[in-house]
Amino acid sequence: MTRARLDKVFTVLLAGSLAGLALAVAALPAALVFGIGFSALAAPYSELPNTLRTPPTPQRSNLYANDGTTLITSFYQEDRVDVPLAEVAPVMRQAVIAAEDTRFHEHSGVDLRGVARAFTVNRGAGETRQGASTLTMQYVRNVLSNDPRLSERQRAAASELSTARKIQEMRYALALERELSKDEILARYLNIAYFGAGAYGVAAASRRYFSKPPADLTLAEAALLAGLVRSPHTDDPINGDADAAVARRAYVLDRLVESGQVPAEAADRARAEQLTLRPSQTPNDCTAVPAEHNDWGFFCDWFTRWWNAQPAFGATVDERQLTLRRGGFSIVSSLDPAVQRATTEQVRRIYSVDDRRAAPTAVVQPGTGRVLAMAVNRNYGVAANPAGQKNHPNTVNQLVAGGGAIEGYQAGSTFKVFTMLAALESGLPLSTEFDAPERIVTDYSASGAASCDGYWCPRNASDLMDGRHTMWTAFGESVNTYFAWLTERVGADRVVEMAERLGIVFRAEEDARLARHGAREWGPFTLGVSATTPLDLAGAYAAVAAEGSWCAPLPVVSIADAAGRPVAAARTHCRQAVDPDVARAAADAARCAVGDQSMYRECDGGTAEGLRRLLGRPVAGKTGSSDGYATETVVAFTPQLAVASIAANPDDPRDAVGQRVQGQLVEAVGEVLAFALRDEPVRDFVPPSEETAFRLTGARAGN
């Protein structure tokens, strides 16, 4: 039922109840009626529902890039952003008063003369031509009928057709007028009113219909918007009756002239203007990111998953989503549009959007955990894929961060870093030597191709790796048998625990089972047989870059609530996961893998030697190949940035990507680092102590 129809019914219902009071208006002195009469009717302000004293106006939340101005998307149930009255054009304020309550500045919340007049005019005309509700009463009704903190029954009661409800509305309106100024009430009304086409509040309406802020509205535009409030569902000129909207505009202009607020000549010019709309739609949710930046969708999706995991926003996921979509937050994300663009370009040079294989890539900032980019060669969206193509070219599955249906990918020898860290923490130095054979038979039970009489017996990728190695050379050249031996010395459970300490999440059911109940026998873990994601891996290596400080991956720089107050959930969450000198030692060995040189000149070749030349600054990292080259992984880091990229087929792990793609990944990761660090000073790694590098000691402090 339209509000005009409701007002007509209310007027009829009230006629009997208010007839005596209306006669008193004519017969008694104004002071008596508006003093004694209204005092008896009004409720004390202290008895008002909290929602009227502090209205929970649902407002959209906006997610921005790290520059604080580039909009990624918005989240809302109702498209609304509250604005102060000073940011609304004076002509808009005048227009809504002229359209809805010409005596707004003269009454005290209830206009009894207006009620009597409306009843007389409407009955004589046989149709609704004047309403009985003041702006204050309309505001009360709007708040109570939309308050999420009230039950459905209570919200329905706020707009039911009854004299009792109308009288309660009057009582509340009178109480509000005693405590709030007219400007405060007008501002609240303008921010809560529905203007049609999904626009709640004057700021959203100005953007929706004219793509401008409410401060810039012209007379014709303001009159049009003010006219929509009466019947927003039917008069909406975008989706409804444009002729009706123009007719209401003319009505509002007439009322502005009658009230002396606008000269007749100005109103005539506005009336003669053609209806000219410049509609714009506020994006809502991650599938509505700008089309030209579709690749932002995967970051946006991960942001919502992060938000849903924050207890500060509610006890359940549903409550947290409601908080996001009604809370009016201004969220500055960690996404760097330039780094994101460069990362996406590199990923798509490896595989096209239509390729069944993918190269999900994450860029993480050491010391904060903030994620600057998340890229993958897919379209973010729910459009249908060709038969048999589950995740390409379109998907909303989280291929970069994991979760939902995505458990992750095997990252091969990149997991050797956890074995090295556990060994260093146990007191073994970087110089720990072992004469690594071509194949080694361990004490870990195993079956299948990697089994020798029931025991795990890995071999090196090449017989050229055989011979004496230290952690420097074994990590640089990725000597499997060295790390199998080292795992036995340290204990596989300590290697698994180190990985968890640095943020590796076991999303696959079998991996989680082994980590909880079979870690001591999980020797192959050191070769990266557990599924992981580029984001987890980048975060773990970022902790090494940050001298052992692991930071939870973070998608935001700041969050401010609707009142502009900072929200604590945006703070970084870091902890010293490993001793700084242990982390420095691991970084020193990791320089060998990418063609850099350790501080003690102990490197002797690596699996990605061209990376140091490409980047032109100190760098460390690791490559990894899973069994049969099913996946290929490259991680690289400097003191300022960490990048991880994994080539895989997300839909079929048996579909091997092949060894050749590793070189492309190395180049891509190097290009991303070079671009992202283009304006950053060159920083070198802090060398580990000679003790950690060369001397066997007792266990070093962990987290």
Side-chain angles (χ1 to χ4, degrees):
M1 184 180 292
T2 64
R3 215 201 72 226
R5 172 66 177 155
L6 283 172
D7 273 346
K8 181 177 181 180
V9 175
F10 287 147
T11 303
V12 173
L13 285 171
L14 283 169
S17 300
L18 299 179
L21 196 50
L23 289 173
V25 172
L28 297 177
L32 180 62
V33 175
F34 291 95
I36 299 174
F38 278 11
S39 294
L41 185 63
Y45 185 74
S46 61
E47 292 183 8
L48 286 179
N50 285 334
T51 188
L52 283 172
R53 284 182 282 172
T54 310
T57 311
Q59 299 182 61
R60 74 169 181 258
S61 295
N62 293 324
L63 179 66
Y64 299 97
N66 67 352
D67 59 10
T69 57
T70 301
L71 182 69
I72 295 174
T73 194
S74 300
F75 301 91
Y76 57 87
Q77 288 183 325
E78 298 178 1
D79 184 11
R80 177 190 285 111
V81 175
D82 286 356
V83 291
L85 199 61
E87 294 180 17
V88 179
V91 70
M92 182 66 214
R93 304 177 221 166
Q94 295 166 344
V96 78
I97 292 172
E100 297 298 315
D101 187 1
T102 54
R103 286 173 36 79
F104 174 66
H105 287 290
E106 298 162 29
H107 62 65
S108 299
V110 176
D111 187 3
L112 293 178
R113 282 185 246 176
V115 170
R117 182 175 62 252
F119 174 65
T120 302
V121 170
N122 292 340
R123 188 172 67 170
E127 61 179 349
T128 301
R129 298 184 61 182
Q130 291 189 15
S133 294
T134 63
L135 279 181
T136 313
M137 292 165 63
Q138 291 180 41
Y139 169 71
V140 168
R141 190 187 316 150
N142 266 311
V143 172
L144 295 180
S145 62
N146 290 284
D147 183 3
R149 296 177 294 190
L150 299 180
S151 67
E152 286 290 340
R153 184 187 61 79
Q154 290 172 315
R155 288 198 292 269
S159 57
E160 68 181 2
L161 301 177
S162 72
T163 301
R165 196 279 304 163
K166 193 70 172 183
I167 290 176
Q168 183 187 61
E169 188 176 285
M170 290 178 170
R171 295 178 71 234
Y172 288 164
L174 290 166
L176 279 175
E177 292 256 1
R178 287 178 166 180
E179 299 294 328
L180 303 178
S181 70
K182 289 290 186 179
D183 279 355
E184 287 174 319
I185 292 170
L186 180 59
R188 290 187 178 195
Y189 178 86
L190 285 168
N191 282 317
I192 202 171
Y194 181 53
F195 290 85
Y200 292 81
V202 66
S206 299
R207 292 287 183 190
R208 181 72 180 100
Y209 291 106
F210 304 113
S211 296
K212 62 168 60 174
D216 297 339
L217 290 169
T218 66
L219 174 59
E221 293 165 345
L224 181 85
L225 293 184
L228 294 178
V229 174
R230 178 60 56 95
S231 302
H233 297 288
T234 58
D235 292 355
D236 159 15
I238 294 177
N239 305 307
D241 190 340
D243 291 338
V246 173
R248 279 290 295 172
R249 181 182 72 174
Y251 166 80
V252 175
L253 290 169
D254 288 341
R255 302 289 286 175
L256 283 165
V257 173
E258 289 175 18
S259 61
Q261 298 182 84
V262 170
E265 298 80 10
D268 289 341
R269 287 193 298 272
R271 189 181 293 105
E273 287 185 23
Q274 293 290 321
L275 176 61
T276 304
L277 302 176
R278 293 185 59 233
S280 59
Q281 185 76 49
T282 302
N284 193 8
D285 224 313
C286 296
T287 54
V289 298
E292 65 273 22
H293 297 298
N294 174 270
D295 57 300
W296 294 354
F298 293 98
F299 177 92
C300 177
D301 175 87
W302 177 61
F303 160 78
T304 62
R305 290 169 186 262
W306 173 85
W307 183 281
N308 290 343
Q310 303 306 308
F313 301 125
T316 66
V317 169
D318 287 344
E319 287 182 13
R320 293 162 192 164
Q321 274 295 300
L322 195 64
T323 299
L324 175 63
R325 295 173 189 280
R326 299 179 68 94
F329 295 95
S330 180
I331 305 155
V332 178
S333 79
S334 57
L335 180 75
D336 185 314
V339 176
Q340 174 69 26
R341 182 180 65 252
T343 307
T344 300
E345 288 174 355
Q346 291 301 321
V347 164
R348 291 185 177 179
R349 283 179 182 152
I350 298 172
Y351 296 127
S352 71
V353 170
D354 294 315
D355 201 304
R356 69 186 186 278
R357 293 161 179 164
T361 302
V363 183
V364 175
Q365 185 179 66
T368 68
R370 293 194 175 103
V371 179
L372 276 62
M374 296 175 69
V376 65
N377 51 304
R378 294 290 186 268
N379 297 321
Y380 184 83
V382 295
N385 290 316
Q389 296 181 199
K390 183 179 178 181
N391 272 308
H392 68 284
N394 309 304
T395 188
V396 292
N397 284 330
Q398 188 46 258
L399 301 180
V400 184
I406 305 302
E407 296 174 345
Y409 328 92
Q410 291 188 358
S413 293
T414 60
F415 269 40
K416 288 172 181 171
V417 73
F418 305 123
T419 308
M420 180 163 60
L421 286 165
L424 290 164
E425 188 173 88
S426 74
L428 295 175
L430 284 170
S431 60
T432 299
E433 288 191 346
F434 175 62
D435 191 359
E438 185 271 336
R439 187 167 204 159
I440 186 171
V441 179
T442 70
D443 292 331
Y444 298 114
S445 299
S447 60
S451 169
C452 296
D453 297 324
Y455 293 96
W456 181 52
C457 54
R459 63 191 313 158
N460 294 327
S462 167
D463 56 13
L464 296 177
M465 297 178 179
D466 303 352
R468 299 202 67 79
H469 285 281
T470 63
M471 288 190 206
W472 281 294
T473 61
F475 195 80
E477 297 176 39
S478 202
V479 182
N480 292 340
T481 57
Y482 180 96
F483 280 91
W485 169 79
L486 197 59
T487 298
E488 285 192 304
R489 287 202 63 180
V490 175
D493 55 333
R494 296 185 67 176
V495 177
V496 173
E497 188 272 335
M498 178 62 72
E500 289 189 281
R501 208 191 299 172
L502 294 187
I504 298 299
V505 178
F506 301 113
R507 298 177 180 85
E509 184 177 342
E510 178 62 13
D511 292 343
R513 185 191 67 78
L514 285 170
R516 294 292 168 268
H517 307 295
R520 289 186 178 181
E521 296 300 317
W522 202 4
F525 182 82
T526 190
L527 300 188
V529 296
S530 174
T532 190
T533 67
L535 184 59
D536 284 0
L537 204 56
Y541 274 80
V544 177
E547 300 190 345
S549 176
W550 178 81
C551 302
L554 188 64
V556 296
V557 173
S558 67
I559 303 174
D561 65 15
R565 297 181 295 257
V567 176
R571 296 174 185 163
T572 58
H573 296 277
C574 303
R575 54 180 168 76
Q576 195 66 39
V578 296
D579 178 81
D581 205 39
V582 167
R584 291 169 187 161
D588 201 55
R591 300 178 76 161
C592 301
V594 293
D596 207 345
Q597 185 54 258
S598 78
M599 291 294 187
Y600 294 100
R601 313 296 298 178
E602 296 289 341
C603 294
D604 187 23
T607 57
E609 290 189 283
L611 188 57
R612 175 62 173 85
R613 291 191 300 272
L614 172 65
L615 190 58
R617 64 168 70 206
V619 62
K622 187 75 181 73
T623 61
S625 305
S626 65
D627 192 39
Y629 304 109
T631 63
E632 287 288 342
T633 303
V634 173
V635 189
F637 63 94
T638 70
Q640 301 109 311
L641 215 57
V643 182
S645 186
I646 302 177
N649 182 336
D651 296 328
D652 184 5
R654 297 166 299 179
D655 179 21
V657 298
Q659 187 180 19
R660 290 181 59 188
V661 75
Q662 187 183 95
Q664 294 174 275
L665 288 177
V666 170
E667 183 177 356
V669 167
E671 291 289 352
V672 170
L673 279 173
F675 178 83
L677 296 171
R678 63 198 183 283
D679 297 324
E680 296 295 322
V682 174
R683 286 180 53 191
D684 206 346
F685 296 98
V686 177
S689 67
E690 288 191 15
E691 183 178 61
T692 305
F694 297 105
R695 297 190 187 98
L696 180 67
T697 68
R700 299 175 176 92
N703 59 336

